[in-house]
Amino acid sequence: MCGIIARIGEGDAITKLVSGLENLEYRGYDSAGVAVQNGSGISVYKRSGQVSELKDSLVSSVPKGNVGIGHTRWSTHGPPTDENAHPHTSQTDEVAVVHNGIIENYTELKEMLREKGHEFTSDTDTEVIPHLFEQYLEDAPDNVTAFRQTVRDLEGSYAVAALVDGEDAIYAARQGSPLILGLDNGEYYLASDVPAFLDHTEDVVYFEDGDMAILEPTGVTMTDMEGNRINRDVEHIDWDPEDAGKGGYDHYMLKEINTQPNALSNTIEGRVQDGEVNLEDFPPGTFDNVDDVHFVACGTSYHAALYGQQLLSNAGIRAQAFRASEYVDASPGPVSENTLVIAVTQSGETADTLGALRQAKTEGAQVITVTNVVGSTAARTADEALFIRAGPEIGVAATKTFSSQAVTLSLLSVRLAEDIDGASLPGDVDEMLETVYDLPKHVDQVLETTNARAIAEKYTDSESFFFIGRGLNNAVAKEGALKFKEITYEHAEGFASGELKHGPLALVTPDTPVFAVFSGDGDGKTMKNAEEAQARGAPIVAVASADHDVIDIADSHLEIPETHPVWAGLLANVQLQLVSYYAARLLDRPIDKPRNLAKSVTVE
Ligand code: F6R
């Protein structure tokens, strides 16, 4: 977790570092700090709280410097205090370091350094890095060698940027945590993610695991951990910087909900032609040898994976969605080259998902990832990547990426059903593929006509919020509940509608609205289950098309356009996203940065 940034070039670094950190805050926001070289030592400014608080504390007397590093933190080792905030410095303040990741052998390193007289002032694992670097600086022939020796001693995951007092240089290394170089005509940036420097440059180099770099005013030198020079391609990112800003909306989440028509158009573009699915690197026949499919994913991406699993099961393909954190222990049975493992991850950096992906790869499975981030670790580690093309998502609560993941997986399910022996395409596949291009328009319709705000006002004072659905809509119900609890802090649960009567019904009262999802598939039973809850006093909020039978019995209605059931579930999800958003607003929650969470969870 955490976001790091570094910058070297002409002119003052602080403003650029701080604005970069603001764009990285989705990775963590419990403390922040910067350090600059200014000709009279390294100056460090850090504190608990959000980047805005750091910014307010940086008054005009802050010494200037053209080279600096910055960090926004999501605590793993030690609480979010000023002392635990990064950058961390060495014994004599000769070295300052920012770090994203976890140093697994920090206790041993700390012990060894203590024996040599080093004293530590924080609870963090990171603090060993500047101390170790300083220790190696004593005897190493040069600073580069000392840095190399330092990172070679580290076990675990890291993206590190370091300053050495008196030197116009930034030392960087990557192992297991994302790190990207930005190149801007004599100015160089390092960051955990592109939005940190997107205002300045769109030319980037992605670090691979084991890469090191030294950034100097004259250029960047990249090497491996043995010191051998390496060249990585410069890639051009075509993200609009506006995409990384709020664009006039009060929250990123609202912007991301509202820009789903555009995101979905991008997801779908060119992927259905003349009634056929066309998936770039996955031409017909790609999956001829697949017997079983495993999805591995976390959180919202897991719900998208459930959507995919249901579609594959409907097509007669053996498919199972696993929570990535459980995959290693879940004993899914032996995997082989005939097992297709699909890692679904928006960020492509989720540690649990990467762990499952790597394990599957080691065991010989075919591994692909469905991800939003080109250049992410998942995209680089999997055999192939299928990009959802949703554009940057900043709000911690995933919205547009769920929709784009579910659509991508729906199209992938058609390719798999075509390829895999014994599988069968759904009878209405033609209608499904014909109507996919209507999806952005239908989402627009939902956004323009929604009464989600009124529904949120009506029910926000309730005690608990239940979400039910069957088949594909089970995934939608679970996603609706996750979104609701995540940003409102209210108790919410999502169930397969048939499960309500096997326990949860005991909790149902007039104070537990039940949001029931109807998409025209398996609806009859969901309606019966909703009525069972209603008979116990629960108000029913039906998410359904205008002429659905449930409207006659529902207490409230969130309307979705009539379309193919596979897309209708996603329209229902948009309505539920909006209910969560407006409920969180009424409760005055920090919608884009819910407490205790972070956008990219790079710890297991
Ligand atoms: C919830 C949410 C998280 C993520 C999860 C996986 O709104 O955003 O549950 O879905 O942390 O993240 P990715 O998709 O980046 O692997």
Side-chain angles (χ1 to χ4, degrees), residues 473-527:
N473 298 330
N474 172 27
V476 175
K478 288 189 162 58
E479 173 56 12
L482 176 64
K483 214 86 312 171
F484 201 89
K485 73 178 83 162
E486 186 181 14
I487 60 166
T488 67
Y489 308 163
E490 296 295 314
H491 176 240
E493 293 300 332
F495 306 105
S497 37
E499 275 297 297
L500 212 50
K501 58 187 177 295
H502 296 292
L505 211 48
L507 297 175
V508 159
T509 71
D511 252 344
T512 55
V514 176
F515 291 80
V517 180
F518 299 88
S519 65
D521 195 23
D523 284 359
K525 287 185 179 166
T526 300
M527 195 153 142

Coordinates of all heavy atoms in Angstrom, one line a residue, residues 473-527:
N473 N -27.6 -12.1 -10.7 CA -28.0 -11.0 -9.8 C -27.5 -11.2 -8.3 O -27.6 -10.3 -7.5 CB -29.5 -10.7 -9.8 CG -29.9 -10.3 -11.2 OD1 -29.1 -9.7 -11.9 ND2 -31.1 -10.7 -11.6
N474 N -27.1 -12.4 -8.0 CA -26.5 -12.7 -6.7 C -25.2 -11.9 -6.7 O -24.9 -11.2 -5.6 CB -26.2 -14.2 -6.6 CG -25.4 -14.6 -5.4 OD1 -25.5 -13.9 -4.4 ND2 -24.7 -15.7 -5.5
A475 N -24.4 -11.9 -7.8 CA -23.2 -11.1 -7.8 C -23.5 -9.6 -7.7 O -22.8 -8.8 -6.9 CB -22.5 -11.3 -9.1
V476 N -24.6 -9.1 -8.3 CA -25.0 -7.7 -8.2 C -25.4 -7.4 -6.8 O -25.1 -6.3 -6.3 CB -26.1 -7.4 -9.2 CG1 -26.6 -6.0 -9.1 CG2 -25.7 -7.7 -10.6
A477 N -26.2 -8.3 -6.1 CA -26.6 -8.0 -4.8 C -25.4 -7.9 -3.8 O -25.3 -7.0 -3.0 CB -27.5 -9.2 -4.3
K478 N -24.4 -8.8 -4.0 CA -23.2 -8.8 -3.2 C -22.4 -7.5 -3.4 O -21.9 -6.9 -2.5 CB -22.4 -10.0 -3.4 CG -23.0 -11.3 -2.9 CD -22.0 -12.5 -2.9 CE -22.4 -13.6 -2.0 NZ -23.7 -14.2 -2.3
E479 N -22.3 -7.1 -4.6 CA -21.6 -5.9 -5.0 C -22.4 -4.7 -4.4 O -21.8 -3.7 -3.9 CB -21.4 -5.8 -6.5 CG -20.8 -4.5 -7.0 CD -19.5 -4.1 -6.3 OE1 -18.9 -5.0 -5.7 OE2 -19.1 -2.9 -6.5
G480 N -23.7 -4.7 -4.5 CA -24.5 -3.6 -4.0 C -24.3 -3.4 -2.5 O -24.1 -2.3 -2.0
A481 N -24.2 -4.5 -1.8 CA -24.0 -4.5 -0.3 C -22.6 -4.0 0.0 O -22.4 -3.2 1.0 CB -24.3 -5.9 0.3
L482 N -21.6 -4.5 -0.7 CA -20.2 -4.1 -0.4 C -20.1 -2.6 -0.6 O -19.5 -1.9 0.3 CB -19.2 -4.8 -1.4 CG -17.8 -4.4 -1.2 CD1 -17.2 -4.7 0.1 CD2 -16.9 -5.1 -2.3
K483 N -20.6 -2.1 -1.7 CA -20.5 -0.6 -1.9 C -21.2 0.1 -0.8 O -20.7 1.1 -0.3 CB -21.2 -0.3 -3.3 CG -20.6 0.8 -4.1 CD -19.5 0.3 -5.0 CE -18.5 -0.5 -4.3 NZ -17.5 -1.1 -5.2
F484 N -22.4 -0.4 -0.4 CA -23.1 0.4 0.6 C -22.4 0.4 1.9 O -22.2 1.5 2.5 CB -24.5 -0.3 0.8 CG -25.5 0.6 1.4 CD1 -26.3 1.4 0.6 CD2 -25.7 0.7 2.8 CE1 -27.2 2.3 1.2 CE2 -26.6 1.5 3.4 CZ -27.4 2.4 2.6
K485 N -21.9 -0.7 2.4 CA -21.2 -0.7 3.7 C -19.9 0.1 3.6 O -19.5 0.8 4.6 CB -21.0 -2.1 4.2 CG -19.9 -2.9 3.5 CD -19.7 -4.3 4.2 CE -20.7 -5.3 3.6 NZ -20.4 -6.7 3.8
E486 N -19.2 0.0 2.5 CA -17.9 0.6 2.3 C -17.9 2.1 2.5 O -17.1 2.7 3.1 CB -17.4 0.2 0.9 CG -16.0 0.6 0.6 CD -15.7 0.2 -0.9 OE1 -16.6 -0.2 -1.6 OE2 -14.5 0.2 -1.2
I487 N -19.0 2.7 1.9 CA -18.9 4.2 1.9 C -19.9 4.8 2.9 O -19.8 6.0 3.2 CB -19.1 4.8 0.5 CG1 -20.4 4.4 -0.1 CG2 -17.9 4.5 -0.4 CD1 -20.8 5.3 -1.3
T488 N -20.9 4.0 3.4 CA -21.9 4.6 4.3 C -21.5 4.2 5.8 O -22.0 4.9 6.7 CB -23.3 4.1 4.1 OG1 -23.4 2.7 4.4 CG2 -23.8 4.4 2.7
Y489 N -20.7 3.2 5.9 CA -20.4 2.6 7.2 C -21.6 2.0 7.9 O -21.6 1.7 9.1 CB -19.7 3.6 8.2 CG -18.6 4.4 7.7 CD1 -18.1 5.6 8.4 CD2 -17.9 4.0 6.6 CE1 -17.1 6.3 7.9 CE2 -16.8 4.7 6.1 CZ -16.4 5.9 6.8 OH -15.3 6.6 6.3
E490 N -22.7 1.7 7.2 CA -23.9 1.1 7.7 C -23.8 -0.4 7.4 O -23.1 -0.8 6.5 CB -25.1 1.7 7.0 CG -25.4 3.1 7.3 CD -25.6 3.4 8.8 OE1 -26.5 2.7 9.4 OE2 -25.0 4.4 9.3
H491 N -24.5 -1.2 8.3 CA -24.4 -2.6 8.1 C -25.2 -3.0 6.8 O -26.4 -2.7 6.7 CB -25.0 -3.4 9.3 CG -25.1 -4.8 9.1 ND1 -26.2 -5.5 9.1 CD2 -24.1 -5.7 8.7 CE1 -26.0 -6.8 8.8 NE2 -24.7 -6.9 8.6
A492 N -24.6 -3.7 5.9 CA -25.3 -4.2 4.7 C -24.8 -5.6 4.3 O -23.6 -5.9 4.5 CB -24.9 -3.2 3.5
E493 N -25.7 -6.4 3.8 CA -25.3 -7.8 3.4 C -25.9 -8.1 2.1 O -27.1 -7.7 1.8 CB -25.8 -8.8 4.4 CG -25.1 -8.7 5.8 CD -23.6 -8.9 5.8 OE1 -23.1 -9.6 4.9 OE2 -22.9 -8.3 6.6
G494 N -25.2 -8.8 1.3 CA -25.8 -9.3 0.0 C -25.9 -10.8 0.0 O -25.0 -11.5 0.4
F495 N -27.1 -11.3 -0.4 CA -27.4 -12.7 -0.4 C -27.9 -13.2 -1.7 O -28.6 -12.5 -2.4 CB -28.5 -13.0 0.6 CG -28.2 -12.5 2.0 CD1 -28.9 -11.4 2.5 CD2 -27.3 -13.1 2.8 CE1 -28.7 -10.9 3.8 CE2 -27.1 -12.7 4.1 CZ -27.8 -11.6 4.6
A496 N -27.6 -14.5 -2.0 CA -28.4 -15.2 -3.0 C -29.8 -15.2 -2.5 O -30.1 -15.5 -1.3 CB -27.9 -16.6 -3.2
S497 N -30.8 -14.8 -3.3 CA -32.1 -14.5 -2.7 C -32.7 -15.7 -2.0 O -33.4 -15.6 -1.0 CB -33.1 -14.0 -3.8 OG -32.9 -14.6 -5.0
G498 N -32.4 -16.9 -2.5 CA -32.9 -18.2 -1.9 C -32.4 -18.4 -0.5 O -32.9 -19.2 0.3
E499 N -31.3 -17.8 -0.2 CA -30.6 -18.0 1.1 C -31.3 -17.2 2.3 O -31.1 -17.6 3.4 CB -29.1 -17.6 1.0 CG -28.2 -18.6 0.5 CD -28.1 -19.8 1.4 OE1 -27.7 -19.8 2.5 OE2 -28.6 -20.9 0.9
L500 N -32.0 -16.2 1.9 CA -32.6 -15.4 3.0 C -33.3 -16.2 4.0 O -33.2 -16.0 5.2 CB -33.6 -14.4 2.3 CG -33.8 -13.0 2.8 CD1 -32.5 -12.3 3.1 CD2 -34.7 -12.2 1.9
K501 N -34.1 -17.2 3.5 CA -34.9 -18.0 4.5 C -34.1 -19.0 5.3 O -34.6 -19.7 6.2 CB -36.0 -18.8 3.7 CG -35.5 -19.7 2.6 CD -36.6 -20.2 1.8 CE -36.2 -21.1 0.6 NZ -35.4 -20.3 -0.4
H502 N -32.8 -19.1 5.0 CA -31.9 -20.1 5.7 C -31.2 -19.4 6.8 O -30.1 -20.0 7.2 CB -31.0 -20.8 4.7 CG -31.7 -21.6 3.7 ND1 -32.4 -22.8 4.0 CD2 -31.9 -21.4 2.3 CE1 -32.9 -23.2 2.9 NE2 -32.7 -22.4 1.9
G503 N -31.6 -18.3 7.3 CA -30.9 -17.7 8.4 C -31.1 -16.1 8.5 O -31.7 -15.6 9.4
P504 N -30.7 -15.4 7.4 CA -30.8 -14.0 7.5 C -32.2 -13.4 7.8 O -32.3 -12.3 8.3 CB -30.3 -13.5 6.1 CG -29.5 -14.6 5.6 CD -30.0 -15.9 6.2
L505 N -33.2 -14.2 7.4 CA -34.6 -13.7 7.6 C -34.8 -13.4 9.1 O -35.7 -12.6 9.4 CB -35.6 -14.8 7.2 CG -36.9 -14.4 6.6 CD1 -36.8 -13.3 5.6 CD2 -37.6 -15.6 6.0
A506 N -34.0 -14.0 10.0 CA -34.2 -13.7 11.4 C -33.9 -12.3 11.8 O -34.3 -11.8 12.8 CB -33.2 -14.7 12.2
L507 N -33.1 -11.6 10.9 CA -32.7 -10.3 11.1 C -33.7 -9.3 10.5 O -33.6 -8.0 10.7 CB -31.3 -10.0 10.6 CG -30.2 -10.8 11.1 CD1 -28.9 -10.5 10.4 CD2 -30.0 -10.4 12.6
V508 N -34.6 -9.8 9.7 CA -35.5 -8.9 9.0 C -36.6 -8.2 9.8 O -37.2 -8.9 10.6 CB -36.1 -9.7 7.8 CG1 -37.4 -9.0 7.3 CG2 -35.1 -9.8 6.7
T509 N -36.7 -6.9 9.8 CA -37.7 -6.1 10.5 C -38.1 -5.0 9.6 O -37.5 -4.8 8.5 CB -37.0 -5.5 11.8 OG1 -36.1 -4.4 11.3 CG2 -36.3 -6.5 12.6
P510 N -39.1 -4.2 10.0 CA -39.4 -3.0 9.2 C -38.3 -2.0 9.0 O -38.3 -1.2 8.2 CB -40.6 -2.4 10.0 CG -41.1 -3.5 10.8 CD -40.0 -4.4 11.2
D511 N -37.2 -2.2 9.8 CA -36.0 -1.3 9.7 C -34.9 -1.9 8.8 O -33.8 -1.5 8.9 CB -35.5 -1.1 11.1 CG -35.8 0.3 11.6 OD1 -36.1 1.1 10.7 OD2 -35.7 0.5 12.8
T512 N -35.2 -2.9 8.1 CA -34.2 -3.5 7.2 C -34.7 -3.6 5.7 O -35.2 -4.6 5.3 CB -33.9 -5.0 7.6 OG1 -35.1 -5.7 7.7 CG2 -33.2 -5.0 9.0
P513 N -34.6 -2.5 5.0 CA -35.0 -2.5 3.6 C -34.3 -3.6 2.8 O -33.1 -3.8 3.1 CB -34.6 -1.1 3.1 CG -33.7 -0.5 4.1 CD -34.0 -1.2 5.4
V514 N -35.0 -4.3 2.0 CA -34.4 -5.3 1.1 C -34.4 -4.8 -0.3 O -35.5 -4.6 -0.9 CB -35.2 -6.6 1.3 CG1 -34.6 -7.7 0.3 CG2 -35.1 -7.2 2.7
F515 N -33.2 -4.6 -0.9 CA -33.1 -4.2 -2.3 C -33.0 -5.5 -3.1 O -32.1 -6.3 -2.9 CB -31.8 -3.4 -2.5 CG -31.8 -2.1 -1.9 CD1 -31.6 -1.9 -0.5 CD2 -32.1 -0.9 -2.6 CE1 -31.6 -0.6 0.1 CE2 -32.2 0.3 -2.0 CZ -31.9 0.5 -0.7
A516 N -34.0 -5.7 -3.9 CA -34.1 -7.0 -4.7 C -33.9 -6.7 -6.1 O -34.5 -5.8 -6.7 CB -35.5 -7.6 -4.4
V517 N -33.0 -7.5 -6.7 CA -32.6 -7.2 -8.1 C -33.3 -8.1 -9.1 O -33.2 -9.4 -8.9 CB -31.0 -7.4 -8.3 CG1 -30.6 -7.1 -9.7 CG2 -30.3 -6.4 -7.3
F518 N -34.0 -7.5 -10.1 CA -34.7 -8.3 -11.1 C -34.2 -7.9 -12.5 O -34.3 -6.7 -12.8 CB -36.2 -8.0 -11.0 CG -36.8 -8.4 -9.6 CD1 -36.8 -7.5 -8.6 CD2 -37.4 -9.6 -9.4 CE1 -37.3 -7.8 -7.3 CE2 -37.9 -9.9 -8.2 CZ -37.9 -9.0 -7.2
S519 N -33.8 -8.9 -13.2 CA -33.2 -8.6 -14.5 C -33.9 -9.4 -15.6 O -33.5 -9.4 -16.8 CB -31.7 -8.8 -14.6 OG -31.5 -10.2 -14.4
G520 N -35.0 -10.1 -15.2 CA -35.6 -10.9 -16.3 C -35.1 -12.4 -16.3 O -35.4 -13.1 -17.2
D521 N -34.3 -12.7 -15.3 CA -33.7 -14.1 -15.3 C -33.9 -14.7 -13.9 O -33.3 -14.1 -13.0 CB -32.2 -14.0 -15.7 CG -31.7 -15.4 -16.1 OD1 -32.5 -16.2 -16.4 OD2 -30.5 -15.6 -16.0
G522 N -34.6 -15.7 -13.8 CA -34.8 -16.4 -12.4 C -35.6 -15.4 -11.5 O -35.5 -15.5 -10.3
D523 N -36.3 -14.5 -12.1 CA -37.0 -13.5 -11.2 C -38.1 -14.0 -10.4 O -38.4 -13.5 -9.3 CB -37.5 -12.4 -12.1 CG -36.4 -11.5 -12.7 OD1 -35.3 -11.7 -12.3 OD2 -36.8 -10.5 -13.4
G524 N -38.8 -15.0 -10.9 CA -40.0 -15.5 -10.1 C -39.6 -15.9 -8.7 O -40.3 -15.5 -7.7
K525 N -38.5 -16.6 -8.6 CA -38.1 -17.1 -7.2 C -37.7 -15.9 -6.4 O -38.0 -15.8 -5.2 CB -37.0 -18.1 -7.3 CG -37.6 -19.4 -7.8 CD -36.6 -20.5 -7.8 CE -37.2 -21.8 -8.3 NZ -36.2 -22.9 -8.6
T526 N -37.0 -14.9 -7.0 CA -36.5 -13.8 -6.2 C -37.8 -13.0 -5.7 O -37.8 -12.5 -4.5 CB -35.7 -12.8 -7.1 OG1 -34.5 -13.6 -7.5 CG2 -35.2 -11.6 -6.3
M527 N -38.8 -13.0 -6.5 CA -40.0 -12.2 -6.1 C -40.7 -12.9 -4.9 O -41.1 -12.3 -3.9 CB -41.0 -12.2 -7.3 CG -42.1 -11.2 -7.1 SD -42.7 -10.7 -8.7 CE -44.4 -10.6 -8.3

